[in-house]
Amino acid sequence: QKPCTMAGPDCSPQLIHPLPNKSLLLAVCAAGIGGTFQYGYNISVINAPTAYVQDFINQTWSERYQTQISDDGLTLLWSTIVSIFTLGGLIGALIGGTLSVRVGRKGTLLTNNIFALLAALLMGLSYPTGLFELLIIGRFISGLNAGIAICVQPLYLGEIAPTSLRGAMGMGTSIFITGGIFTGQVIGLRELLGKEEYWPILLSTTCIPAFLQLLILPWFPESPRYLLIDKGDEEGCKKALKQLHGIADCDSEQEDIEKERNSLSGLQAKKPWELFADRSLRWQVLTIMVLNAAQQLNGINAIYFYAGYVFKQSGIPSDKIPYATVGTGACECITALTCGMLIDRLGRKVLIMGGYTLMAICCVLFTLTLTFQEASPVVPYLSMVCVFAFILSFGLGPGGVTNILTTELFTQNSRPAAYMLAGSVNWSSFFFIGLVFPFIVLGLKQYCFLVFLVICCLVIIYIFLVVPETKNKTFLEIQNEFQSSKKRQIGCSDGAGTILLSTSI
């Protein structure tokens, strides 16, 4: 059945949600498999071989220096292997936006696979060569790959999707992250590649998604917005829209892109620091900084930290806990898919506020269940329910909607810089929580969730007061809503830039 078009006289995208074109869905999959799938996969796959890699470091150190490595030295090297991924991610986020302007969104995603293949090669060679340093370098390059992917893939998905399906297609970022996490957990099980002799192969499997993307993505077009606005290629834009949206639906989208190009005529792509100097973008910049920091600081990492303890207290045998952990990954996948189906119906603001509200409630309940863990045999099971409820709440709102808002709050000339800024804040927060969280747990124990409760509540208030609903609105309409909102005129007595079309740089 042919879907309703945006320009059709009898239907409106606000009421009827057309099904995406098959080519558009395949383009999303092609971008995701070598994009944010790698981010999720590399976060989870490192957990399974922890003991085996530590034994390898111990053995290599003994053979090289004829002495045993100290416990502190081993912990330092292992922590470096794990955490250097975030440093690579931060650098990747800083260069991803620039690459996306110079070689295009699709071009950057394809080029990025070089880092994934190089990382897989280095980590696979670490064991046969007896060089644990290759693991450190490989993990850093994997982080570089993930940082570029999580910056550029949402950019590509947001720009190839029609306005009425932008939320659902943008959820591809979150769906592939959670899919990567889940796949890494499954492949790391002992029945597959979780045995000691397989760990070098396990870490080098990151090459498989890279090869898949190199085979599939070239068959799909570059972002139509990039082609028309950045490159001035009208024919290329029209051809891309026809392939992605179908012949019937491409005219209205091209008209929308033309309007955005006219409004940005003569303006160059912004650098990240220029976003801070532009008064017309101050609330958008603050919003993406708040939301991306909160995405890491809202307690989701703490939940995973406590998950093993909760499963053990619930009576799950230690050797079965990895299977329960796979359940948390499956839970995230299901929630991301659910959010993808709901986001263009309920809207971004409802989902992200609802997610943070449920997470705040879970923080309170989890604190209580951890405090009274010994009070009753039922309490550990309530803690387990809280773990899954928190993960569901995160996936329903902050996990999926944050990246979409980063796409929607900016126009073409400032969007790559916005993603560089958002990625930098996200990766810095990721590193910060990894560094500080052990000390928070040591000092506050289960009461650490009260800190996350406060963060969730503050974010809810901020979203309610500042962030507009962006569902079914063009990028220009969203920008103009920010500019004309009375709430954002406080402190702007000069009244400059009330709508995008009159904004100068």
Side-chain angles (χ1 to χ4, degrees):
Q1 184 181 354
K2 186 179 174 182
C4 161
T5 68
M6 290 183 65
D10 302 322
C11 51
S12 162
Q14 282 84 356
L15 301 175
I16 297 174
H17 296 269
L19 293 174
N21 187 290
K22 183 172 69 173
S23 182
L24 177 62
L25 276 177
L26 291 173
V28 170
C29 293
I33 192 66
T36 52
F37 180 91
Q38 293 276 37
Y39 169 79
Y41 188 77
N42 282 294
I43 283 176
S44 67
V45 81
I46 195 68
N47 295 321
T50 299
Y52 308 140
V53 174
Q54 289 178 344
D55 288 343
F56 164 65
I57 294 170
N58 220 333
Q59 180 187 341
T60 305
W61 191 277
S62 299
E63 291 173 357
R64 195 183 293 178
Y65 302 108
Q66 284 74 52
T67 182
Q68 290 288 323
I69 188 172
S70 66
D71 289 342
D72 288 344
L74 182 61
T75 303
L76 177 63
L77 279 174
W78 174 246
S79 299
T80 303
I81 289 170
V82 174
S83 61
I84 202 164
F85 179 78
T86 60
L87 179 60
L90 177 59
I91 295 171
L94 289 171
I95 65 175
T98 303
L99 282 172
S100 72
V101 173
R102 291 188 178 178
V103 299
R105 284 51 161 154
K106 174 186 162 184
T108 302
L109 288 172
L110 289 171
T111 306
N112 192 31
N113 288 299
I114 295 170
F115 296 117
L117 295 173
L118 181 59
L121 179 66
L122 292 173
M123 291 189 287
L125 289 174
S126 60
Y127 182 76
T129 57
L131 296 170
F132 58 76
E133 292 87 351
L134 293 182
L135 286 174
I136 298 173
I137 300 168
R139 284 287 291 174
F140 172 78
I141 296 172
S142 287
L144 201 63
N145 168 266
I148 294 171
I150 208 165
C151 173
V152 180
Q153 185 195 311
L155 198 58
Y156 181 67
L157 299 189
E159 291 181 3
I160 66 173
T163 303
S164 59
L165 288 169
R166 200 168 56 224
M169 296 300 99
M171 277 302 300
T173 298
S174 180
I175 290 167
F176 277 96
I177 289 174
T178 56
I181 291 171
F182 178 65
T183 306
Q185 291 169 339
V186 171
I187 290 181
L189 293 173
R190 289 186 62 80
E191 288 80 358
L192 295 173
L193 294 179
K195 293 180 181 176
E196 183 171 6
E197 60 268 30
Y198 295 143
W199 72 259
I201 300 172
L202 176 64
L203 294 183
S204 61
T205 50
T206 186
C207 69
I208 297 172
F211 280 125
L212 284 173
Q213 186 174 70
L214 286 170
L215 285 171
I216 302 168
L217 188 58
W219 296 96
F220 297 95
E222 179 56 88
S223 156
R225 288 181 181 273
Y226 175 78
L227 290 171
L228 185 59
I229 299 175
D230 292 70
K231 294 298 180 183
D233 184 359
E234 291 190 24
E235 278 302 311
C237 173
K238 193 165 187 177
K239 187 178 176 183
L241 285 171
K242 282 181 180 178
Q243 183 179 348
L244 293 167
H245 300 174
I247 296 172
D249 297 340
C250 70
D251 290 339
S252 58
E253 286 297 325
Q254 185 158 4
E255 187 181 330
D256 172 39
I257 299 171
E258 287 278 7
K259 285 179 183 176
E260 189 173 344
R261 181 175 71 163
N262 293 337
S263 73
L264 299 171
S265 180
L267 302 181
Q268 298 297 316
K270 288 180 180 291
K271 304 291 190 294
W273 54 88
E274 291 175 337
L275 298 182
F276 293 101
D278 190 344
R279 292 171 67 88
S280 69
L281 295 175
R282 61 170 60 178
W283 283 103
Q284 293 95 312
V285 169
L286 181 59
T287 297
I288 63 164
M289 290 180 71
V290 168
L291 294 183
N292 278 275
Q295 195 176 34
Q296 296 294 343
L297 305 178
N298 57 28
I300 188 66
N301 297 295
I303 285 288
Y304 279 113
F305 179 86
Y306 270 103
Y309 165 75
V310 168
F311 293 148
K312 193 172 182 180
Q313 289 295 106
S314 301
I316 298 174
S318 296
D319 61 330
K320 302 296 182 188
I321 286 177
Y323 301 95
T325 306
V326 168
T328 63
C331 181
E332 272 200 279
C333 277
I334 292 166
T335 316
L337 287 166
T338 305
C339 184
M341 290 185 285
L342 293 175
I343 192 164
D344 285 317
R345 289 172 170 79
L346 299 180
R348 287 62 156 154
K349 194 166 183 175
V350 170
L351 281 178
I352 196 167
M353 282 184 66
Y356 274 114
T357 302
L358 291 172
M359 288 164 69
I361 294 168
C362 289
C363 283
V364 175
L365 296 176
F366 201 44
T367 303
L368 292 172
T369 56
L370 287 175
T371 303
F372 299 105
Q373 195 79 358
E374 309 295 333
S376 166
V378 179
V379 176
Y381 295 99
L382 294 176
S383 295
M384 192 187 293
V385 170
C386 286
V387 167
F388 283 96
F390 195 98
I391 293 168
L392 283 166
S393 304
F394 175 78
L396 194 64
V401 181
T402 302
N403 278 321
I404 293 169
L405 285 175
T406 308
T407 299
E408 294 182 327
L409 298 186
F410 295 88
T411 48
Q412 192 76 6
N413 71 319
S414 53
R415 197 175 294 122
Y419 264 104
M420 291 167 71
L421 181 60
S424 302
V425 171
N426 202 300
W427 284 99
S428 300
S429 302
F430 190 3
F431 179 76
F432 174 78
I433 197 69
L435 197 67
V436 173
F437 179 67
F439 299 102
I440 296 175
V441 173
L442 199 65
L444 298 177
K445 296 185 170 59
Q446 70 271 23
Y447 297 107
C448 69
F449 285 94
L450 297 179
V451 175
F452 302 125
L453 169 65
V454 172
I455 291 171
C456 288
C457 290
L458 290 174
V459 174
I460 292 166
I461 294 167
Y462 179 86
I463 293 169
F464 178 76
L465 294 176
V466 174
V467 182
E469 180 52 70
T470 59
K471 180 182 72 169
N472 286 321
K473 293 176 183 173
T474 66
F475 295 126
L476 282 180
E477 287 170 346
I478 295 164
Q479 281 286 67
N480 289 341
E481 183 166 346
F482 258 109
Q483 300 308 317
S484 61
S485 174
K486 291 180 181 178
K487 287 180 289 187
R488 292 164 189 80
Q489 298 307 313
I490 298 171
C492 299
S493 56
D494 59 359
T498 54
I499 62 171
L500 179 69
L501 297 178
S502 66
T503 302
S504 59
I505 297 178

